[in-house]
Amino acid sequence: MASIELRSVSRIFGAGAQAIRAVDRIDLRVEDGEFMIFLGPSGCGKSTTLRMIAGLEPVSEGELLIDGVRVNDIDPAERDLAIVFQNYALYPHMSVRKNMAFGLKLRGMAEAEIGSRIARVAETLGVEALLDRRPAQLSGGQRQRVALGRALVREPRAFLLDEPLSNLDAKLRSVMRTELIKLHRTLGTTMIHVTHDQVEAMTMGTRICIMRGGEIVQVGRPQDVYREPVDTFVAGFLATPPMNLLPARLDVADGALRLRIEGQEIALPLASRPGWARHAGRDVILGLRPEDLHEAPVGAATAALDCTIETVEALGPETILTLRLGRDGTELAARLPPEGDWRIGAALRLHADTSKLHLFDPETTRSIPGN
Amino acid sequence: MRSARGAALLRHLILGGFSAVIAMPLLWVLRVSLTDKATAYRLPPEIGEIGLQNYVEVFTAFDFTRWFGNSVTVAVLATLVSLPAAAMMAYAAARFRTGGWPLMLGVLASQMIPPIVLVLPMFLVFTTLVPVPGLVAITIAHVAINLPFMAWIMASFFDADTRMLEEAARCDGATRWQAFTRITVPVAMPGIIAAGLLGFILSWNEFLYALLLGNHSSQTLAVGLASLETHAGVNIAPLAAATLLALAPVLLLLPFLQTYLVKGLSLGALK
């Protein structure tokens, strides 16, 4: 088991004027036994960061430490980390058994010990019957298990998972997600999981590290990042549908904060968000999660918004409505209970839970603290 | 239905025509190899009395066995020496961009130099600077022409897929050399074999260097066959028989070449 620390780490491709900073001076500490998720859109630098940790990509600037020891110049073979790739990277000319044994043989482990480790891991992952098959004879899900088994059998200091679930179908992905969570709980080994799937990020990790353009935007426990996004990027990236971001104008009048959104108004007591008063008289971005919009008022802290229904997605346990503010204003989404008779084009009055509102500065896109 | 059959017939007629153009010279050589000299030159062509006397004569009246042995020695040695070196060169170019595009362009350009241009410097090198026996000189020359050719073919086999497998191996604890020899080479083996077979055939058929760098005792098949064309006339019937015998190894290798070349080119389908 290991802690992994990145100190102002950068990865620069090219040189001079054409140099590209794929990862730009990031600082992060992954604690021993933690399940860290690197989340972000394609090209945000999450895989490059993982590859730097694995030793497959050189660290251009900064320091990378594993268990407090600088490993910038240590060969991947000596870092004792196991990586599971998106396309599994199973050795096609070897059987499943040999794939699993490869790393152990290189370390000079005795045949008997190799055999017992493979048997134990194969049983855990349910791949005993596949041990003598070649990768080409396996289905996608089986290959994924074998790739995981090859990593597990080594009992490394940490597991690095580079989007290992993204090639699986939705059902299998959900099963493997649960299995990985269980595995982490059983082993207690440090895991870093790279994904662009926010469901994986929310459900699997003890902490999420959200990246954009080679920089870390926010690090925190999934619920904290969800509840308190630091900027509009995080607010718009997590969850499906994401947080509604509506252009608004903030004023303070009669001891109340008044948010005017395309002719409609949401009022809330000044005392509930005193910090917002500093932005009075300015344009802001109002953040509102789809699940914080309701059909009926919820307690006293609600404000009505008149909308027009644009699409209705009945998902079974819930229904997602896409709406326009007013008749043809900004688009927003609402997550409502499944029962309801909604017709496209009809007007609908929704009630926003004003205790769950977020405000962002349109210039910096940063969250405006309420206190 | 009728038009479809007509189209198919037309296609086959055209393809048959092309096939005949390719097959005719070989069939002609086959006919000549089975007849006597007088019948061989007769027009319109006659089959005459068929026999294997020319094949017997090839072995009894000429040094065919030695030529064959020399060709096998040169082609096998040249392939065995150039193949691993070419694999490593192709790997370096594909993985580290060693030499960048100028190197690979240079490699390709070297294939465009007329062989006659290089013969004189090579002749001087092997006769004055580093005098070596004829067979060794021919083998070295063949390594020199085969190596860049093989490297050029193999560069595409060490692509992104083998790179990822290698990365997996390195994280598994393999050094770069172990990853190359235990993972990359076995995975790219069909392509490497195909390149080796192509190199072997190139060396087997090579004439110019073998003629000018060798001597009487180091004559390869290509040179030996040419020697049947003498001032006293062409020994056409034994020449035809010897040509077909010289073709035999290449014909035997072709099915393997096709198989491995296709496998090599489809290495991307590993996943």
mmCIF file of all heavy atoms in Angstrom, chain B residues 113-150:
data_model
loop_
_atom_site.group_PDB
_atom_site.id
_atom_site.type_symbol
_atom_site.label_atom_id
_atom_site.label_comp_id
_atom_site.label_asym_id
_atom_site.label_seq_id
_atom_site.Cartn_x
_atom_site.Cartn_y
_atom_site.Cartn_z
ATOM 1 N N ILE B 113 18.159 3.812 -54.982
ATOM 2 C CA ILE B 113 19.459 3.951 -55.631
ATOM 3 C C ILE B 113 19.659 2.747 -56.552
ATOM 4 O O ILE B 113 19.498 1.611 -56.122
ATOM 5 C CB ILE B 113 20.587 3.985 -54.577
ATOM 6 C CG1 ILE B 113 20.369 5.158 -53.620
ATOM 7 C CG2 ILE B 113 21.960 4.058 -55.228
ATOM 8 C CD1 ILE B 113 21.316 5.158 -52.441
ATOM 9 N N PRO B 114 20.017 2.997 -57.823
ATOM 10 C CA PRO B 114 20.267 1.849 -58.702
ATOM 11 C C PRO B 114 21.421 1.014 -58.132
ATOM 12 O O PRO B 114 22.466 1.557 -57.775
ATOM 13 C CB PRO B 114 20.660 2.502 -60.025
ATOM 14 C CG PRO B 114 20.193 3.903 -59.928
ATOM 15 C CD PRO B 114 20.192 4.271 -58.488
ATOM 16 N N PRO B 115 21.254 -0.300 -58.032
ATOM 17 C CA PRO B 115 22.275 -1.149 -57.410
ATOM 18 C C PRO B 115 23.658 -0.975 -58.038
ATOM 19 O O PRO B 115 24.669 -1.022 -57.349
ATOM 20 C CB PRO B 115 21.752 -2.556 -57.628
ATOM 21 C CG PRO B 115 20.288 -2.404 -57.816
ATOM 22 C CD PRO B 115 20.082 -1.069 -58.430
ATOM 23 N N ILE B 116 23.694 -0.686 -59.325
ATOM 24 C CA ILE B 116 24.974 -0.585 -60.028
ATOM 25 C C ILE B 116 25.843 0.526 -59.432
ATOM 26 O O ILE B 116 27.070 0.456 -59.439
ATOM 27 C CB ILE B 116 24.732 -0.358 -61.545
ATOM 28 C CG1 ILE B 116 25.991 -0.615 -62.369
ATOM 29 C CG2 ILE B 116 24.193 1.017 -61.840
ATOM 30 C CD1 ILE B 116 26.243 -2.065 -62.614
ATOM 31 N N VAL B 117 25.191 1.552 -58.873
ATOM 32 C CA VAL B 117 25.915 2.677 -58.286
ATOM 33 C C VAL B 117 26.738 2.216 -57.085
ATOM 34 O O VAL B 117 27.840 2.705 -56.838
ATOM 35 C CB VAL B 117 24.916 3.790 -57.871
ATOM 36 C CG1 VAL B 117 25.623 4.906 -57.124
ATOM 37 C CG2 VAL B 117 24.183 4.324 -59.082
ATOM 38 N N LEU B 118 26.180 1.264 -56.327
ATOM 39 C CA LEU B 118 26.834 0.836 -55.093
ATOM 40 C C LEU B 118 27.829 -0.299 -55.317
ATOM 41 O O LEU B 118 28.639 -0.607 -54.453
ATOM 42 C CB LEU B 118 25.787 0.387 -54.078
ATOM 43 C CG LEU B 118 24.828 1.478 -53.583
ATOM 44 C CD1 LEU B 118 23.775 0.878 -52.680
ATOM 45 C CD2 LEU B 118 25.584 2.570 -52.856
ATOM 46 N N VAL B 119 27.754 -0.924 -56.484
ATOM 47 C CA VAL B 119 28.588 -2.105 -56.714
ATOM 48 C C VAL B 119 30.079 -1.753 -56.712
ATOM 49 O O VAL B 119 30.878 -2.435 -56.071
ATOM 50 C CB VAL B 119 28.186 -2.803 -58.026
ATOM 51 C CG1 VAL B 119 29.255 -3.788 -58.451
ATOM 52 C CG2 VAL B 119 26.881 -3.523 -57.840
ATOM 53 N N LEU B 120 30.420 -0.655 -57.376
ATOM 54 C CA LEU B 120 31.841 -0.305 -57.492
ATOM 55 C C LEU B 120 32.475 -0.032 -56.128
ATOM 56 O O LEU B 120 33.491 -0.638 -55.781
ATOM 57 C CB LEU B 120 32.022 0.885 -58.440
ATOM 58 C CG LEU B 120 33.481 1.211 -58.759
ATOM 59 C CD1 LEU B 120 34.142 0.059 -59.503
ATOM 60 C CD2 LEU B 120 33.593 2.493 -59.556
ATOM 61 N N PRO B 121 31.861 0.855 -55.305
ATOM 62 C CA PRO B 121 32.445 1.045 -53.967
ATOM 63 C C PRO B 121 32.517 -0.258 -53.180
ATOM 64 O O PRO B 121 33.522 -0.520 -52.503
ATOM 65 C CB PRO B 121 31.504 2.043 -53.286
ATOM 66 C CG PRO B 121 30.447 2.382 -54.242
ATOM 67 C CD PRO B 121 30.753 1.772 -55.558
ATOM 68 N N MET B 122 31.492 -1.079 -53.281
ATOM 69 C CA MET B 122 31.508 -2.340 -52.538
ATOM 70 C C MET B 122 32.623 -3.248 -53.050
ATOM 71 O O MET B 122 33.317 -3.905 -52.273
ATOM 72 C CB MET B 122 30.157 -3.047 -52.682
ATOM 73 C CG MET B 122 29.111 -2.524 -51.734
ATOM 74 S SD MET B 122 27.919 -3.783 -51.394
ATOM 75 C CE MET B 122 26.628 -2.823 -50.646
ATOM 76 N N PHE B 123 32.794 -3.259 -54.362
ATOM 77 C CA PHE B 123 33.841 -4.089 -54.962
ATOM 78 C C PHE B 123 35.212 -3.664 -54.428
ATOM 79 O O PHE B 123 36.026 -4.494 -54.024
ATOM 80 C CB PHE B 123 33.775 -3.949 -56.495
ATOM 81 C CG PHE B 123 34.799 -4.789 -57.207
ATOM 82 C CD1 PHE B 123 34.609 -6.155 -57.345
ATOM 83 C CD2 PHE B 123 35.951 -4.211 -57.724
ATOM 84 C CE1 PHE B 123 35.554 -6.930 -57.997
ATOM 85 C CE2 PHE B 123 36.896 -4.980 -58.368
ATOM 86 C CZ PHE B 123 36.701 -6.347 -58.517
ATOM 87 N N LEU B 124 35.420 -2.336 -54.388
ATOM 88 C CA LEU B 124 36.699 -1.814 -53.882
ATOM 89 C C LEU B 124 36.889 -2.172 -52.413
ATOM 90 O O LEU B 124 37.963 -2.574 -51.984
ATOM 91 C CB LEU B 124 36.753 -0.297 -54.065
ATOM 92 C CG LEU B 124 36.987 0.173 -55.504
ATOM 93 C CD1 LEU B 124 36.858 1.685 -55.597
ATOM 94 C CD2 LEU B 124 38.365 -0.278 -55.990
ATOM 95 N N VAL B 125 35.830 -2.031 -51.642
ATOM 96 C CA VAL B 125 35.908 -2.332 -50.213
ATOM 97 C C VAL B 125 36.288 -3.798 -50.016
ATOM 98 O O VAL B 125 37.202 -4.129 -49.250
ATOM 99 C CB VAL B 125 34.562 -2.018 -49.516
ATOM 100 C CG1 VAL B 125 34.515 -2.635 -48.116
ATOM 101 C CG2 VAL B 125 34.354 -0.515 -49.426
ATOM 102 N N PHE B 126 35.616 -4.674 -50.738
ATOM 103 C CA PHE B 126 35.818 -6.105 -50.495
ATOM 104 C C PHE B 126 37.069 -6.681 -51.178
ATOM 105 O O PHE B 126 37.475 -7.790 -50.873
ATOM 106 C CB PHE B 126 34.578 -6.903 -50.912
ATOM 107 C CG PHE B 126 33.390 -6.634 -50.021
ATOM 108 C CD1 PHE B 126 32.155 -6.292 -50.550
ATOM 109 C CD2 PHE B 126 33.521 -6.708 -48.639
ATOM 110 C CE1 PHE B 126 31.082 -6.035 -49.727
ATOM 111 C CE2 PHE B 126 32.443 -6.450 -47.811
ATOM 112 C CZ PHE B 126 31.221 -6.108 -48.353
ATOM 113 N N THR B 127 37.653 -5.922 -52.116
ATOM 114 C CA THR B 127 38.872 -6.437 -52.742
ATOM 115 C C THR B 127 40.131 -5.813 -52.154
ATOM 116 O O THR B 127 41.166 -6.460 -52.078
ATOM 117 C CB THR B 127 38.868 -6.190 -54.268
ATOM 118 O OG1 THR B 127 38.555 -4.825 -54.495
ATOM 119 C CG2 THR B 127 37.899 -7.098 -54.981
ATOM 120 N N THR B 128 40.041 -4.554 -51.755
ATOM 121 C CA THR B 128 41.260 -3.897 -51.265
ATOM 122 C C THR B 128 41.239 -3.606 -49.763
ATOM 123 O O THR B 128 42.150 -3.957 -49.034
ATOM 124 C CB THR B 128 41.495 -2.576 -52.017
ATOM 125 O OG1 THR B 128 40.343 -1.764 -51.845
ATOM 126 C CG2 THR B 128 41.738 -2.798 -53.483
ATOM 127 N N LEU B 129 40.153 -2.975 -49.273
ATOM 128 C CA LEU B 129 40.135 -2.558 -47.864
ATOM 129 C C LEU B 129 39.924 -3.737 -46.922
ATOM 130 O O LEU B 129 40.670 -3.941 -45.975
ATOM 131 C CB LEU B 129 39.041 -1.507 -47.637
ATOM 132 C CG LEU B 129 39.299 -0.130 -48.237
ATOM 133 C CD1 LEU B 129 38.105 0.787 -48.019
ATOM 134 C CD2 LEU B 129 40.551 0.497 -47.632
ATOM 135 N N VAL B 130 38.861 -4.502 -47.156
ATOM 136 C CA VAL B 130 38.546 -5.645 -46.292
ATOM 137 C C VAL B 130 38.397 -6.886 -47.175
ATOM 138 O O VAL B 130 37.290 -7.277 -47.501
ATOM 139 C CB VAL B 130 37.236 -5.408 -45.507
ATOM 140 C CG1 VAL B 130 37.106 -6.380 -44.345
ATOM 141 C CG2 VAL B 130 37.093 -3.977 -45.054
ATOM 142 N N PRO B 131 39.499 -7.469 -47.567
ATOM 143 C CA PRO B 131 39.370 -8.626 -48.467
ATOM 144 C C PRO B 131 38.734 -9.805 -47.724
ATOM 145 O O PRO B 131 39.262 -10.260 -46.709
ATOM 146 C CB PRO B 131 40.815 -8.951 -48.853
ATOM 147 C CG PRO B 131 41.673 -7.980 -48.163
ATOM 148 C CD PRO B 131 40.883 -7.185 -47.202
ATOM 149 N N VAL B 132 37.591 -10.199 -48.202
ATOM 150 C CA VAL B 132 36.901 -11.342 -47.593
ATOM 151 C C VAL B 132 36.532 -12.313 -48.705
ATOM 152 O O VAL B 132 36.452 -11.921 -49.872
ATOM 153 C CB VAL B 132 35.624 -10.918 -46.837
ATOM 154 C CG1 VAL B 132 35.951 -10.195 -45.546
ATOM 155 C CG2 VAL B 132 34.725 -10.072 -47.718
ATOM 156 N N PRO B 133 36.310 -13.589 -48.368
ATOM 157 C CA PRO B 133 35.903 -14.544 -49.394
ATOM 158 C C PRO B 133 34.618 -14.095 -50.080
ATOM 159 O O PRO B 133 33.822 -13.361 -49.492
ATOM 160 C CB PRO B 133 35.677 -15.839 -48.608
ATOM 161 C CG PRO B 133 36.390 -15.664 -47.325
ATOM 162 C CD PRO B 133 36.423 -14.201 -47.050
ATOM 163 N N GLY B 134 34.449 -14.550 -51.323
ATOM 164 C CA GLY B 134 33.312 -14.121 -52.147
ATOM 165 C C GLY B 134 31.962 -14.261 -51.468
ATOM 166 O O GLY B 134 31.156 -13.319 -51.453
ATOM 167 N N LEU B 135 31.724 -15.442 -50.852
ATOM 168 C CA LEU B 135 30.405 -15.669 -50.247
ATOM 169 C C LEU B 135 30.133 -14.687 -49.112
ATOM 170 O O LEU B 135 29.013 -14.209 -48.949
ATOM 171 C CB LEU B 135 30.320 -17.098 -49.688
ATOM 172 C CG LEU B 135 29.815 -18.181 -50.641
ATOM 173 C CD1 LEU B 135 29.657 -19.504 -49.914
ATOM 174 C CD2 LEU B 135 28.504 -17.784 -51.301
ATOM 175 N N VAL B 136 31.188 -14.380 -48.343
ATOM 176 C CA VAL B 136 31.034 -13.436 -47.225
ATOM 177 C C VAL B 136 30.711 -12.051 -47.774
ATOM 178 O O VAL B 136 29.813 -11.352 -47.274
ATOM 179 C CB VAL B 136 32.315 -13.392 -46.362
ATOM 180 C CG1 VAL B 136 32.189 -12.369 -45.246
ATOM 181 C CG2 VAL B 136 32.621 -14.769 -45.811
ATOM 182 N N ALA B 137 31.429 -11.674 -48.847
ATOM 183 C CA ALA B 137 31.201 -10.356 -49.450
ATOM 184 C C ALA B 137 29.764 -10.243 -49.958
ATOM 185 O O ALA B 137 29.083 -9.231 -49.719
ATOM 186 C CB ALA B 137 32.182 -10.129 -50.587
ATOM 187 N N ILE B 138 29.302 -11.299 -50.624
ATOM 188 C CA ILE B 138 27.924 -11.259 -51.162
ATOM 189 C C ILE B 138 26.921 -11.175 -50.008
ATOM 190 O O ILE B 138 25.955 -10.398 -50.045
ATOM 191 C CB ILE B 138 27.635 -12.512 -52.023
ATOM 192 C CG1 ILE B 138 28.585 -12.556 -53.231
ATOM 193 C CG2 ILE B 138 26.195 -12.530 -52.508
ATOM 194 C CD1 ILE B 138 28.571 -13.883 -53.968
ATOM 195 N N THR B 139 27.183 -11.956 -48.951
ATOM 196 C CA THR B 139 26.262 -11.948 -47.802
ATOM 197 C C THR B 139 26.199 -10.560 -47.175
ATOM 198 O O THR B 139 25.111 -10.040 -46.892
ATOM 199 C CB THR B 139 26.719 -12.978 -46.740
ATOM 200 O OG1 THR B 139 26.861 -14.245 -47.380
ATOM 201 C CG2 THR B 139 25.722 -13.086 -45.607
ATOM 202 N N ILE B 140 27.374 -9.932 -46.995
ATOM 203 C CA ILE B 140 27.395 -8.586 -46.393
ATOM 204 C C ILE B 140 26.627 -7.606 -47.285
ATOM 205 O O ILE B 140 25.837 -6.790 -46.807
ATOM 206 C CB ILE B 140 28.846 -8.107 -46.159
ATOM 207 C CG1 ILE B 140 29.512 -8.984 -45.099
ATOM 208 C CG2 ILE B 140 28.872 -6.643 -45.722
ATOM 209 C CD1 ILE B 140 31.001 -8.736 -44.918
ATOM 210 N N ALA B 141 26.847 -7.724 -48.597
ATOM 211 C CA ALA B 141 26.148 -6.835 -49.533
ATOM 212 C C ALA B 141 24.635 -7.040 -49.433
ATOM 213 O O ALA B 141 23.858 -6.074 -49.436
ATOM 214 C CB ALA B 141 26.611 -7.098 -50.955
ATOM 215 N N HIS B 142 24.249 -8.301 -49.322
ATOM 216 C CA HIS B 142 22.807 -8.571 -49.225
ATOM 217 C C HIS B 142 22.228 -8.053 -47.907
ATOM 218 O O HIS B 142 21.094 -7.588 -47.866
ATOM 219 C CB HIS B 142 22.540 -10.083 -49.367
ATOM 220 C CG HIS B 142 22.637 -10.543 -50.789
ATOM 221 N ND1 HIS B 142 22.269 -11.800 -51.198
ATOM 222 C CD2 HIS B 142 23.063 -9.906 -51.910
ATOM 223 C CE1 HIS B 142 22.455 -11.920 -52.507
ATOM 224 N NE2 HIS B 142 22.955 -10.777 -52.951
ATOM 225 N N VAL B 143 23.008 -8.132 -46.829
ATOM 226 C CA VAL B 143 22.555 -7.566 -45.554
ATOM 227 C C VAL B 143 22.336 -6.063 -45.741
ATOM 228 O O VAL B 143 21.335 -5.498 -45.291
ATOM 229 C CB VAL B 143 23.576 -7.838 -44.426
ATOM 230 C CG1 VAL B 143 23.249 -7.004 -43.190
ATOM 231 C CG2 VAL B 143 23.604 -9.317 -44.068
ATOM 232 N N ALA B 144 23.285 -5.436 -46.450
ATOM 233 C CA ALA B 144 23.198 -3.987 -46.648
ATOM 234 C C ALA B 144 21.950 -3.585 -47.431
ATOM 235 O O ALA B 144 21.351 -2.544 -47.149
ATOM 236 C CB ALA B 144 24.447 -3.482 -47.362
ATOM 237 N N ILE B 145 21.554 -4.414 -48.398
ATOM 238 C CA ILE B 145 20.357 -4.013 -49.166
ATOM 239 C C ILE B 145 19.067 -4.494 -48.490
ATOM 240 O O ILE B 145 18.028 -3.861 -48.606
ATOM 241 C CB ILE B 145 20.405 -4.485 -50.651
ATOM 242 C CG1 ILE B 145 20.685 -5.981 -50.746
ATOM 243 C CG2 ILE B 145 21.397 -3.700 -51.449
ATOM 244 C CD1 ILE B 145 20.554 -6.534 -52.162
ATOM 245 N N ASN B 146 19.144 -5.612 -47.755
ATOM 246 C CA ASN B 146 17.933 -6.152 -47.118
ATOM 247 C C ASN B 146 17.529 -5.394 -45.865
ATOM 248 O O ASN B 146 16.353 -5.252 -45.574
ATOM 249 C CB ASN B 146 18.148 -7.614 -46.714
ATOM 250 C CG ASN B 146 17.904 -8.552 -47.881
ATOM 251 O OD1 ASN B 146 17.525 -8.102 -48.966
ATOM 252 N ND2 ASN B 146 18.118 -9.830 -47.670
ATOM 253 N N LEU B 147 18.532 -4.965 -45.087
ATOM 254 C CA LEU B 147 18.242 -4.389 -43.767
ATOM 255 C C LEU B 147 17.292 -3.186 -43.834
ATOM 256 O O LEU B 147 16.247 -3.192 -43.169
ATOM 257 C CB LEU B 147 19.551 -4.036 -43.075
ATOM 258 C CG LEU B 147 19.505 -3.900 -41.562
ATOM 259 C CD1 LEU B 147 20.870 -4.256 -40.979
ATOM 260 C CD2 LEU B 147 19.091 -2.552 -41.099
ATOM 261 N N PRO B 148 17.620 -2.173 -44.666
ATOM 262 C CA PRO B 148 16.686 -1.038 -44.716
ATOM 263 C C PRO B 148 15.315 -1.427 -45.251
ATOM 264 O O PRO B 148 14.290 -0.943 -44.768
ATOM 265 C CB PRO B 148 17.375 -0.036 -45.652
ATOM 266 C CG PRO B 148 18.493 -0.744 -46.284
ATOM 267 C CD PRO B 148 18.810 -1.957 -45.488
ATOM 268 N N PHE B 149 15.315 -2.332 -46.213
ATOM 269 C CA PHE B 149 14.055 -2.783 -46.804
ATOM 270 C C PHE B 149 13.170 -3.440 -45.737
ATOM 271 O O PHE B 149 11.981 -3.133 -45.588
ATOM 272 C CB PHE B 149 14.381 -3.762 -47.937
ATOM 273 C CG PHE B 149 13.211 -4.539 -48.459
ATOM 274 C CD1 PHE B 149 12.219 -3.917 -49.200
ATOM 275 C CD2 PHE B 149 13.108 -5.906 -48.219
ATOM 276 C CE1 PHE B 149 11.144 -4.639 -49.684
ATOM 277 C CE2 PHE B 149 12.037 -6.633 -48.704
ATOM 278 C CZ PHE B 149 11.050 -5.994 -49.430
ATOM 279 N N MET B 150 13.780 -4.355 -44.952
ATOM 280 C CA MET B 150 13.025 -5.040 -43.902
ATOM 281 C C MET B 150 12.577 -4.057 -42.813
ATOM 282 O O MET B 150 11.459 -4.149 -42.311
ATOM 283 C CB MET B 150 13.891 -6.120 -43.246
ATOM 284 C CG MET B 150 14.154 -7.310 -44.119
ATOM 285 S SD MET B 150 15.309 -8.383 -43.237
ATOM 286 C CE MET B 150 15.284 -9.816 -44.287
#
